[in-house]
Amino acid sequence: KQEVTQIPAALSVPEGENLVLNCSFTDSAIYNLQWFRQDPGKGLTSLLLIQSSQREQTSGRLNASLDKSSGRSTLYIAASQPGDSATYLCAAALFGGKLIFGQGTELSVKP
Amino acid sequence: KAGVTQTPRYLIKTRGQQVTLSCSPISGHRSVSWYQQTPGQGLQFLFEYFSETQRNKGNFPGRFSGRQFSNSRSEMNVSTLELGDSALYLCASSSLTGAYEQYFGPGTRLTVT
């Protein structure tokens, strides 16, 4: 059974810091791995998707890596800003489209 | 291109009642999935529909059901509501091509009193 874990559960950093969010999954048989952002009371915004054959994806200040053999993915946020404050969720996609989500990392970036 | 839309956005119901939530996927997307989000359990998969057929189902009681129409719009129904059904219900659509990326709607906040 696929389980997804995110560490840390919460993170508070000063503006400008580079930070890393961690995601681990128990079964390497994934179709892809997606990182999402969720603002309070809102839906999910897709940030990055890494296909199972890829090692990383980049979008602006965000970089996500995937290591299937170790069951790990990381989301790197460069030069954090207060507007980055949100909950970040990673999700492993099983064949057939079902997403298994971690519990999320609540990020607070202080001005 | 318009995103995934969900209606209604907010709903208050009483225990024992039933509720129907609606989801319109991105134009051209034929797969629609539903998720329940609660503070205690996080995001959990309910079911997925493709071409009007349920292909995948999560571990939820039979009170939770859904359907998909020929235009790919989907509805989910919860009968005999319980207090524990209070949650944010999210739907996602996918084109099932390429990277199989899923796009989420804003959700329906259901409160059961």
Side-chain angles (χ1 to χ4, degrees), chain A residues 31-32 34 38 46 49 96-97 99, chain B residues 35 37 98-102 105-106:
Chain A
Y31 193 79
N32 64 46
Q34 273 189 264
Q38 186 174 34
S46 180
L49 179 149
L99 293 177
Chain B
Y35 293 83
Q37 186 177 31
Y100 212 112
E101 187 165 6
Q102 297 202 37

Side-chain angles (χ1 to χ4, degrees), chain B residues 6-12 19-22 89 106-110:
Chain B
Q6 293 186 245
T7 56
R9 295 291 313 279
Y10 303 91
L11 209 45
I12 300 175
V19 67
T20 299
L21 312 182
S22 181
Y89 290 88
T108 294
R109 171 73 63 184
L110 172 64

Side-chain angles (χ1 to χ4, degrees), chain B residues 4-101:
Chain B
V4 178
T5 58
Q6 293 186 245
T7 56
R9 295 291 313 279
Y10 303 91
L11 209 45
I12 300 175
K13 290 286 188 179
T14 304
R15 268 183 306 175
Q17 288 185 315
Q18 75 163 16
V19 67
T20 299
L21 312 182
S22 181
C23 172
S24 293
I26 291 171
S27 178
H29 286 189
R30 295 167 63 191
S31 168
V32 174
S33 300
W34 288 88
Y35 293 83
Q36 181 197 64
Q37 186 177 31
T38 59
Q41 299 297 317
L43 273 151
Q44 293 185 289
F45 174 79
L46 280 156
F47 28 66
E48 188 249 357
Y49 286 87
F50 176 76
S51 291
E52 303 177 65
T53 300
Q54 186 183 91
R55 299 196 306 174
N56 225 334
K57 189 178 190 317
N59 190 24
F60 278 82
R63 300 186 296 108
F64 292 80
S65 63
R67 59 178 175 167
Q68 186 180 35
F69 302 95
S70 59
N71 62 358
S72 294
R73 188 178 70 86
S74 177
E75 289 181 346
M76 68 163 280
N77 184 275
V78 188
S79 62
T80 320
L81 285 165
E82 300 177 359
L83 295 179
D85 297 333
S86 295
L88 181 66
Y89 290 88
L90 294 161
C91 99
S93 77
S94 174
S95 66
L96 294 186
T97 58
Y100 212 112
E101 187 165 6

